[in-house]
Amino acid sequence: MKIIRSMLLRAAGAACLSACCAGAAAETGYYLVTTYPDEGQRAVDFKYWVSKLDGRPLLASPEIGLAYNVSSRWYTELTAVGFKMGATSHHLVAAEWQNDFLLTQGEYPFDLAIHTNIERATDGSGEIGIEYGPVLQTEIGRTQFNANVFFQRELHADEREPTELAYQWQVKYRWKEKLQWGLQGFGELGEWNHWLPRRQQSHRAGPALFGTWYMGGKQEIRYEAALLTGKNNATHGHTFSTRIEYVF
């Protein structure tokens, strides 16, 4: 989200990071949001992405979260977000609280949820970022389709930040429980009502793998991994992202 990118730019104090980090540090810039809560289910959620943009130092971000399905319609998760640039060590940069609410459950050809996320920087500034928007999913046979649109804004007491627009999409073929494949895409367009010129927008897409291992009872391990190619703030590069959840 915007709050992490802004805080990293100030901490680095370098023009090169401004060119490579904008659009790169948002959690939902690399992980698709889906909302199908299984009431009472809990999870330990680990995420990690690493990105190499042309002419820039390596960027990486680990995340660890605790999730709980409060009901069949409400999913909530608390996450600690880390960041690493080049040869520097990982350090904590933000804490996030995600809440997703499923509005439909099979009444229509598609399912609709509302995603929300509140993010707070850990550098002592007290700055807060918010993200919200619709989450859509439908299926045709064994193929699942997802499309999400999110509004992102950084909150300041002394100034008004513009609301920016981001998107996600996914196509997944559910071959077997342990091995499924598809394509994912992510991007940031600029202000929601005044998009950036095409050459300054961020668009990333690539192949992805998914699967679930059942361990007995309510325990299972879910994984996903994607290799994305495209632009972050007009800078071309490649990103590998992975997510592993232990569900119990």
Side-chain angles (χ1 to χ4, degrees), residues 145-156:
F145 300 88
N146 294 83
N148 306 332
V149 177
F150 297 147
F151 299 90
Q152 300 174 342
R153 183 180 173 190
E154 186 178 343
L155 302 181
H156 290 280

Side-chain angles (χ1 to χ4, degrees), residues 31-48:
Y31 308 105
L32 189 89
V33 174
T34 60
T35 305
Y36 281 84
D38 188 351
E39 186 171 358
Q41 200 171 63
R42 296 160 292 176
V44 177
D45 187 11
F46 175 75
K47 308 184 189 77
Y48 192 86

Side-chain angles (χ1 to χ4, degrees), residues 58-93:
L58 195 71
L59 306 175
S61 177
E63 304 178 17
I64 185 71
L66 296 175
Y68 180 55
N69 293 322
V70 181
S71 71
S72 62
R73 293 181 180 267
W74 178 14
Y75 171 90
T76 187
E77 180 173 358
L78 291 172
T79 302
V81 182
F83 185 78
K84 170 184 170 67
M85 181 179 68
T88 63
S89 60
H90 291 94
H91 58 284
L92 183 68
V93 294

